[in-house]
Amino acid sequence: VGLGLANEGLKKTQTPEEAECVRAVFDANMRKIISALQKAGIAVACGGVYPNNRYNGFQYETLKKEEALSASWGVPVFSWLSALDDGQGHFREGLYHDAGHPSDEGYRVMYGCIPDKIF
């Protein structure tokens, strides 16, 4: 399962409080999705949050907070932020196709974050 916080509205937030609301809804929805899949007998693994070249400082802090909280979901979560991030919430050079999406090389890096043992 993978959902992006940018697509959920983080990139449009104007205040830290708005960003926190988006983060909280995202987290609650991910937990609901995980629970529903597990109740259906489906093994779950999740893609972690990742950068966006349009994030500002408070949006980046929100992203890092959600990355830390996703560890409590009880399922494997792939650490894509640390693999792609330039330290400011943006993609490292060469790892993005456009402001919000990885390049082919970025996707290779993401794939490398998926541990073989989950299969």
Side-chain angles (χ1 to χ4, degrees):
V1 176
L3 298 173
L5 265 169
N7 292 342
E8 298 301 307
L10 182 61
K11 68 183 177 184
K12 295 179 183 179
T13 58
Q14 299 293 312
T15 66
E17 293 78 17
E18 286 179 4
E20 176 56 24
C21 286
V22 167
R23 188 217 55 77
V25 169
F26 170 86
D27 191 83
N29 286 339
M30 286 297 292
R31 291 173 190 275
K32 288 176 189 173
I33 291 167
I34 291 165
S35 177
L37 291 170
Q38 289 174 326
K39 285 178 184 172
I42 298 169
V44 180
C46 295
V49 297
Y50 55 89
N52 185 297
N53 287 351
R54 293 192 178 113
Y55 284 153
N56 62 33
F58 72 78
Q59 291 164 334
Y60 181 44
E61 291 304 315
T62 302
L63 191 68
K64 291 190 303 185
K65 180 177 181 179
E66 185 56 33
E67 180 185 46
L69 289 171
S70 69
S72 69
W73 292 347
V75 298
V77 179
F78 311 133
S79 299
W80 290 338
L81 182 61
S82 60
L84 301 171
D85 180 29
D86 71 352
Q88 297 179 10
H90 307 139
F91 288 101
R92 287 187 286 129
E93 195 58 44
L95 298 183
Y96 60 92
H97 169 72
D98 59 32
H101 300 95
S103 62
D104 289 346
E105 182 59 26
Y107 281 117
R108 277 190 276 282
V109 169
M110 292 166 80
Y111 178 77
C113 296
I114 301 171
D116 293 340
K117 68 181 179 181
I118 70 161
F119 300 108

